[in-house]
Amino acid sequence: MLALTFLTPAASAFVLAAVVPVAAFLLVERRARVVRALLRVHAPGRRAWLPVVIALVLLPTLVAVAAAQPVVVRQEKVTERADAQAFVLFDTSLSMRAATGPHSLSRLQRAKQLAMRLQQRLPDVPFGVASMTDRSLPNLMPTVDRTLFDRTVEQSVGVDRPPPSQPHPGARATTFDAIVPLVESHFYSQGVQRRLLVVFTDGESTAVSPLLKLTLQRRVSPIFVHVWQPNERIYKRGGRIDPRYVADPVSTNALQNLATITDGRALSEDQFGTLARVSRDAVGQAQAHTLVAAYARVALAPWFILAAAVPLAFLLWRRNA
């Protein structure tokens, strides 16, 4: 469905400015008729002055419409759950830049692909996006708009975005305690009974505090997706290997222990089918409601300004003719 709306409708009052040039033109024509009568000169017909009047009215009218800022809004009916919401949380620490080769997808790039596939498998559940190092920040609040979700994941999620809140020289910047604010700071809407949290991480983090278990228990259903392959390295420009980083083989067991502590699930990146099934089980099945949501907006003001050049060019040509 397409809908036309004006962002600044009061600006359309500029169309009243058409009175000034039209009145001036009619006054000049009135004086010209007097002069022609005295000189006994034949007056031109209506075809001569009618296009000028039309151009004088059309020019401010087009400018007035442009000033009102018309936009075409593309609206679509969407179906979403009111009882469930999900967040995908990306570990954006430096180690997520690791890859199996200089031209292979990094851990973060693979995590992004998995998140977008997961959102497609649960289209009725509003999905949000957040990033984490030693703190978590929201990138997108829960929505069923697939285009908005994909663009946010692709464009807003990146390594060290957000950067750690403090330097971690020689230590790991990722801490899963950063999940605590995500659960307690109203990232999820109030009244939502089923809360899914899917964490994409390489599992290379600092020790987990007991506070995490107390925060997540019975408040959110966590799923930890281990985006990690052995012998991955961080590659710099030109294919050079960062000698300071080596993949940690203990991360697999560490993530399994984290899932046990938080009553969640730990899966590898190769288990997408299981990830989709477990995620659906976490949010369950419930009736969804349909609403009309606005998506793309196309501004029409530049086109009206461009169209106004036509009567303006005609008036300039007529004056010099």
Side-chain angles (χ1 to χ4, degrees), residues 295-311:
Y295 285 85
R297 295 198 313 178
V298 181
L300 301 181
W303 296 102
F304 280 95
I305 291 296
L306 185 62
V310 176

Side-chain angles (χ1 to χ4, degrees), residues 51 54-60 62 306-317:
I54 294 176
L56 290 174
V57 174
L58 188 59
L59 177 57
L62 292 173
L306 185 62
V310 176
L312 178 61
F314 171 76
L315 292 172
L316 294 175
W317 171 81

